[in-house]
Amino acid sequence: MAGEDEASRNKGFRLLGILDVQRTPCARDAILHGAGGSAAAGMLYFLATSRVKRSFDVGFAGFMLTTLGSWFYCRINNAKIRVQQRVIQEGIRNKVVYEGTVLDPTKKPKAEAPSGPS
């Protein structure tokens, strides 16, 4: 039984057979935001017009737009964070390499003292 549980955990949940929601970054949040956007857009349109078929169409469009908007927003933020992490890692690596040497950027060169009154 333990082997079956582990196999089912490794398989994950695939949406439409192509998108592994558990392993794809931002996928779960985007789908949940899309569901909320769909419900809100469809209900608001139905309450305003009482047209069922058109409300479904508006709800579907709301799902697509909200899902894609949330997906791209999340992916762009993840890319920014990865760039910041790379810059920080490079800075730490340089600090370790140059620490205590003449090239140490934190070490300020000593200014020569004036030689006194001339």
Side-chain angles (χ1 to χ4, degrees), residues 71-84:
W71 173 278
F72 285 118
Y73 179 77
C74 182
R75 296 296 288 191
I76 287 171
N77 280 342
N78 281 352
K80 286 180 185 176
I81 289 171
R82 280 195 304 272
V83 167
Q84 289 174 349

Side-chain angles (χ1 to χ4, degrees), residues 1-12 22-23:
M1 276 202 172
E4 293 174 10
D5 291 338
E6 188 176 321
S8 67
R9 269 191 237 130
N10 289 339
K11 186 177 180 186
Q22 290 179 343
R23 290 199 173 97

Side-chain angles (χ1 to χ4, degrees), residues 11-66:
K11 186 177 180 186
F13 174 70
R14 291 179 118 19
L15 186 66
L16 299 176
I18 55 171
L19 179 65
D20 190 358
V21 176
Q22 290 179 343
R23 290 199 173 97
T24 306
C26 303
R28 180 180 175 271
D29 290 339
I31 297 295
L32 291 174
H33 289 143
S38 169
M43 289 297 281
L44 288 174
Y45 192 85
F46 178 75
L47 291 174
T49 63
S50 296
R51 295 175 65 187
V52 176
K53 184 183 182 321
R54 184 62 61 178
S55 297
F56 175 79
D57 295 341
V58 169
F60 185 75
F63 174 78
M64 295 303 290
L65 290 174
T66 309

Side-chain angles (χ1 to χ4, degrees), residues 85-98 105:
Q85 287 174 341
R86 248 184 263 128
V87 168
I88 290 170
Q89 285 175 344
E90 185 66 28
I92 291 171
R93 193 174 302 122
N94 285 341
K95 180 173 174 31
V96 169
V97 168
Y98 295 127

